[in-house]
Structure formats: C-alpha cells, structure tokens
Amino acid sequence: MSLTAPLVLGIESSCDETGVGIVRGTELLVNAVASSMEEHVRFGGVIPEIASRAHLDAFVPTLSSALKDAGVSLDEIDAIAVTSGPGLSGALMVGVSAAKALALATGKPLYAINHLVAHVGVGILDGGKLPENLGALLVSGGHTEILQVNSLASDVRLLGATIDDAAGEAYDKVARLLGLGYPGGPVIDRIAKDGDPKAIRFPRGLTLPKFIGTAEEPGKHRHDFSFSGLKTAVARCVEQYQKRGEEVPVADIAAGFQEAVVDVITSKAVRACQEHGLTNLMLGGGVAANSRLRELLAARCASAGITLRVPPRNLCTDNGAMVAALGAQLVAGGIAPTGLGFSTDSGQPVSLVSLVA
C-alpha cells in the first residue's frame, strides 16, 4: 500500500444517491452515482424505505461500473471507506453492509467515515492540499452547518447547525406550497430569476441580537440556522393572496424566499469565519449549486477578505468520490481503520471524522 497515494474505494448511501468513487491519493479516478430521485418525486420528498430498496438494486451495478471505468480490480484497492453517518438509517445500513462484505471478502482495511466531513474532503480532489485556517459551509437537503477544519483527518469542529428545517428541506416545502414540484431547489432558483427579491420581505431566522441589560450580544445561536419560521411565513403569504382571490405572485415569492435563505446563510458563515480567524471557506452540499447562494457568498467573502473555494457541481452533491477522498486522507495520515465491528450512526457528529475500532 502506498501511504502517500493510497488507492481507496468509497461507498456512499446516506440518502437517495448510491455512490461509488475511486481515488488514488488526491487523484479522482471515477465517480459513479445512481440516483433514486425520480422514484421520490410523486411523494414530494425522499421516502426512506424506497431509498433503501433503490440502494440494494443499484449497488452492484454501480460498483461494477466504477471498477471498470477506473481500470482497477478489487485486489488492487488498498482500503475501503464507507459513510457510517449521519443519514437515513436504512439507507446507511445498505452501504455499510456492502462495505463490510467487500472488506471481509478481500481482507482490505475498512474505514467508517462521517458524511459531512467527506463533503469537505472532496476539496482535495479539486486542488490538492486543503488550506490552513479553513472553514466549511455545508448546505444540503438535510444539513446546514458551519465547520472549523483544523485537521481533515482528526480535528473538525461544529460552529453552527440547523435547529429545525435545513435549507434544502425549506426549499422543498416552499416549492410544494407554490405548486412547483420536487425537488424544490433547482426550480425555485430558476423561477426566482424572474421575480423581485425586494417585493416581499420574509423573516431572517435567528438573526436578531440579544440584549444583556443595554449591551447588544449576538446570542448563543448566532451561527445556527432555523428556516421553519420562514417556511410558515411563505405559507401565510400564499394564503393571503388566495383569500383575496388574487393571483399568487410565484416568482416574487420565490425570489423573496430565496433571498431570505441565502442572506442568513452567507452572513452567518462570514461572521463565523471572522470570529474564529478562518481566512478560507469551502462551500459544499447539494444546495451549493444554487446560483444566488454562490453569487452572494462570493461577494461577502471578498468583502471580508475570505478566500472562497467551491468544488465542481458534480462533487457538491452526495457521491462516493468524497468518501474515497476522505478515506485516502485517513490512510495517508496513519489513522487506524475501523474494522468490521461498528454500526451505522444516523446522528454521527462531525467530531467523529471516522469511527474507532
């Protein structure tokens, strides 16, 4: 095994994408993804049981395709990495069971890794070594979080997280209210371009300062996110138009909603970086594809002197390449493999970059 450029197979199954990636050190060889999103459309969201069954059907073909495209065999793989959490319990179990079977059959070391930290690990595939003083903003269907990355392999700290609805969940629910279908993120992003983001101002959750006596304090939730109130405000807005018998201004509502979401996310991310001395910020997660989020975050980072790094769109969503990339860093860093005696952890904290044996 090459400790500087290990050949690692990564397996991802935390939600509705079955991902298999193969990485050699910091070089991406293949990133094969099979999505079951179309099977969830009529339900307006991911159905865990359907996702789990889709992983069962897709795993072997996706693995075979990845190995073929990379031009490697299982015997050549140095290590296997798999997402152990966070995510949907049943979906995680499919990927973990497959990874354990492969590790047992081949005798390869197995690493159980954190899905969220893997989103940061994908950065090495886009530019080699990660910079120092690094923060990460992860925005997806189930997570909106700000991380401080002191060491990708061993020291990642949570600075802020979702209290209720994550940004992606809010997009899906608002899209449903506006009759736009699922998934909500891409369609709202597109329709918002035709609307006026200032026509309707929606609330910015957890942004008001706290007062201790006469002193203004940012409050204990200054880096946390809450979008449930915003979702409710959109629902009340739609109801008012309908009660008056007026046409619902879908584009303006979409634009106002999106502006509220990205305003909160970007301002909190920049403030967290400033308060913790982080001069570099990495954006990841499925919602990282949102055009307005990218635009406003880039502008605010530039004003604050923060260097923004955004991976290619195909590496922002859930995929096996990010799992393999983090696994390769663990191998190169001399971190001990997890072995076979572990369980999935749907709430695995970011402080657990990989599970210990």
Side-chain angles (χ1 to χ4, degrees):
M1 177 192 300
S2 170
L3 291 181
T4 56
L7 186 63
V8 178
L9 172 72
I11 298 170
E12 157 63 25
S13 68
S14 64
C15 191
D16 60 342
E17 281 96 10
T18 306
V20 177
I22 300 175
V23 167
R24 179 179 281 113
T26 60
E27 177 190 3
L28 174 60
L29 301 184
V30 69
N31 182 31
V33 179
S35 175
S36 62
M37 181 181 294
E38 291 301 320
E39 299 180 45
H40 305 280
V41 169
R42 67 190 179 99
F43 300 102
V46 175
I47 306 300
E49 177 63 19
I50 292 177
S52 299
R53 291 180 179 274
H55 287 308
L56 283 170
D57 292 337
F59 179 73
V60 172
T62 306
L63 173 64
S64 299
S65 173
L67 291 169
K68 180 180 178 181
D69 291 346
V72 300
S73 66
L74 282 174
D75 288 339
E76 296 175 86
I77 296 295
D78 293 319
I80 299 169
V82 63
T83 298
S84 53
L88 302 175
S89 294
L92 288 168
M93 194 174 298
V94 176
V96 166
S97 297
K100 286 183 177 181
L102 288 174
L104 185 62
T106 62
K108 306 297 183 180
L110 177 61
Y111 290 82
I113 70 164
N114 190 292
H115 171 83
L116 298 177
V117 182
H119 273 297
V120 184
V122 79
I124 68 168
L125 303 177
D126 187 42
K129 184 179 179 181
L130 294 177
E132 296 182 353
N133 301 317
L134 177 64
L137 172 61
L138 307 181
V139 192
S140 66
H143 305 279
T144 308
E145 295 177 325
I146 306 172
L147 312 180
Q148 180 175 345
V149 185
N150 297 321
S151 168
L152 181 62
S154 60
D155 188 0
V156 178
R157 302 178 186 181
L158 182 66
L159 300 183
T162 305
I163 291 178
D164 41 55
D165 285 353
E169 290 175 295
Y171 268 91
D172 289 340
K173 291 176 180 178
V174 167
R176 193 178 306 130
L177 288 170
L178 297 176
L180 299 177
Y182 173 85
V187 66
I188 287 181
D189 189 22
R190 184 177 70 252
I191 289 177
K193 291 180 172 64
D194 297 325
D196 179 2
K198 297 181 180 179
I200 306 171
R201 180 176 174 82
F202 289 110
R204 272 67 168 160
L206 296 181
T207 58
L208 294 178
K210 305 296 182 182
F211 288 90
I212 308 299
T214 58
E216 183 178 303
E217 299 287 343
K220 67 177 182 178
H221 292 301
R222 62 189 178 278
H223 302 325
D224 294 325
F225 303 95
S226 172
F227 295 111
S228 64
L230 171 59
K231 173 200 63 183
T232 302
V234 172
R236 298 291 85 80
C237 178
V238 171
E239 287 175 2
Q240 289 303 312
Y241 279 101
Q242 292 173 336
K243 284 182 179 179
R244 295 194 297 264
E246 300 176 7
E247 182 179 353
V248 177
V250 174
D252 285 346
I253 291 176
F257 161 76
Q258 176 159 276
E259 197 65 20
V261 172
V262 300
D263 181 24
V264 170
I265 290 175
T266 56
S267 62
K268 284 177 175 277
V270 169
R271 181 168 63 193
C273 287
Q274 291 173 323
E275 290 187 7
H276 290 84
L278 306 176
T279 54
N280 295 280
L281 179 65
M282 182 174 168
L283 176 63
V287 185
N290 182 275
S291 62
R292 181 56 181 153
L293 174 60
R294 286 174 172 238
E295 176 186 40
L296 187 57
L297 185 60
R300 287 183 167 172
C301 282
S303 297
I306 298 168
T307 300
L308 178 63
R309 188 166 172 177
V310 185
R313 291 173 189 264
N314 67 315
L315 294 179
C316 288
T317 54
D318 295 347
N319 61 83
M322 68 185 196
V323 179
L326 179 54
Q329 292 298 296
L330 294 174
V331 174
I335 304 298
T338 307
L340 301 176
F342 69 94
S343 301
T344 60
D345 183 356
S346 59
Q348 186 172 333
V350 296
S351 57
L352 282 176
V353 178
S354 64
L355 299 183
V356 296

